[in-house]
Amino acid sequence: MPSRPDIESVAEEVFTALADPTRRTILAELAARGPATATDLATRLPITRQAIAKHLALLAEAGLVAAEPGERRRVRYRLRSAPMQIAQQFLAALARDWDSQLASLQDHLNAAVAAQSTRKNEGKEPS
Amino acid sequence: MGFPDRIERSVEIAHPPASVWAALTTAEGLGTWFGEAATIDLRPGGLAEMTWTSGEKASMRIERVEEPTVFGYTWGINGLPDDDPRRTYVEFTLEPAGSGTRLTVVESGFAQLRDDSYRKAFDGNIEGWGHELGELVEYLDAIAA
């Protein structure tokens, strides 16, 4: 495993993590309410503690959550936001819709010219 | 998975560069085809802003103004916090093409974070709130004592 994951592999891990509904739920809970132990999450969410522990281990390995030091059953996990921001940059590039914007620019220029010639024609009509 | 750093598009527009330039660089133009309202201080270092009735807003810092051929600005990356320093650079290039214009837009910088800087940026970010909240607690403890 590379000690310094590149941006692509970080984004890939985020998308893999988010592909699972249980992991989405866990991440959303940590984002909304802050660090929590597997037991805390099991009491709040309709998911067994075992399943939560398994997903937390996977999320920790992907760098999306970090375990705070503590006794085994009292280890709290917190969200690590940086990998999400890397993935957001990828999504931002996909969402930047220049095709629509440029089509809109062309429509705008065509409309401006059409309005001008209409005004000219209207000006000529009375004569 | 390819991580796009740069988006490039070229279109032929059946209007002269002067008209295209005005649409790109005036409040009236930007506030019509791009935003729903706009302000612009057209000079390098000047600021421009587009707003939408949805409440969305795009703030641009103008970098290049070479009428009527090059217009460039930076703006924030969608989805990142407003105060995130990372921005992409957008450059419009206008070339006469017959009686019309060939307009090219290049937006670059989506993948600007480097392998070695992202850990640091990341750790700074995660420590941020924990640190601030820690200071708040210390402050409250101190005034309560």
Side-chain angles (χ1 to χ4, degrees):
Chain A
M1 202 188 208
S3 59
R4 239 181 228 171
D6 61 51
I7 290 172
E8 275 190 34
S9 67
V10 170
E12 196 169 323
E13 279 174 345
V14 172
F15 295 133
T16 303
L18 294 178
D20 180 272
T22 304
R23 289 197 291 273
R24 284 202 297 276
T25 305
I26 292 169
L27 290 172
E29 184 67 19
L30 293 176
R33 299 182 58 182
T37 65
T39 308
D40 294 337
L41 294 169
T43 60
R44 290 187 224 149
L45 304 172
I47 309 165
T48 65
R49 193 192 171 281
Q50 287 78 2
I52 285 173
K54 189 190 78 181
H55 285 297
L56 283 172
L58 196 149
L59 291 169
E61 199 173 317
L64 298 170
V65 301
E68 292 177 349
E71 295 171 49
R72 202 172 71 81
R73 285 231 152 202
R74 318 190 112 222
V75 169
R76 297 199 318 160
Y77 290 84
R78 63 192 161 92
L79 194 66
R80 299 181 79 186
S81 64
M84 317 295 176
Q85 292 185 18
I86 303 267
Q88 265 176 336
Q89 283 184 277
F90 178 82
L91 294 175
L94 298 187
R96 191 73 92 205
D97 188 3
W98 280 113
D99 298 306
S100 295
Q101 295 305 341
L102 293 174
S104 170
L105 169 63
Q106 286 180 309
D107 290 347
H108 164 71
L109 289 165
N110 291 338
V113 168
Q116 253 173 18
S117 60
T118 304
R119 275 198 297 274
K120 272 184 208 158
N121 290 341
E122 280 169 355
K124 280 174 192 164
E125 264 165 12
S127 61
Chain B
M1 181 179 69
F3 202 112
D5 180 62
R6 170 188 166 96
I7 296 173
E8 178 166 351
R9 289 289 188 284
S10 265
V11 288
E12 297 276 346
I13 299 181
H15 301 276
S19 304
V20 178
W21 179 263
L24 293 174
T25 60
T26 63
E28 192 197 350
L30 285 175
T32 307
W33 67 272
F34 205 151
E36 289 170 340
T39 58
I40 183 167
D41 175 14
L42 184 61
R43 60 182 175 83
L47 299 180
E49 185 173 274
M50 294 187 293
T51 52
W52 287 266
T53 49
S54 63
E56 284 180 273
K57 183 169 91 167
S59 300
M60 296 114 89
R61 182 179 186 277
I62 295 165
E63 304 292 341
R64 287 186 73 183
V65 181
E66 290 157 37
E67 184 175 2
T69 54
V70 182
F71 174 56
Y73 63 81
T74 63
W75 59 358
I77 297 175
N78 274 345
L80 295 188
D82 285 345
D83 60 353
D84 192 292
R86 283 167 282 168
R87 298 166 78 80
T88 52
Y89 176 60
V90 177
E91 190 170 277
F92 292 96
T93 306
L94 294 71
E95 299 165 87
S99 60
T101 306
R102 180 165 192 79
L103 175 68
T104 301
V105 56
V106 176
E107 179 167 8
S108 57
F110 287 104
Q112 63 193 280
L113 220 58
R114 302 215 175 277
D115 295 4
D116 55 348
S117 64
Y118 103 84
R119 280 284 166 197
K120 201 163 61 179
F122 160 50
D123 288 336
N125 258 328
I126 48 165
E127 297 311 331
W129 271 109
H131 186 67
E132 296 302 325
L133 292 177
E135 288 192 341
L136 173 63
V137 170
E138 276 173 29
Y139 166 74
L140 292 173
D141 285 349
I143 57 171

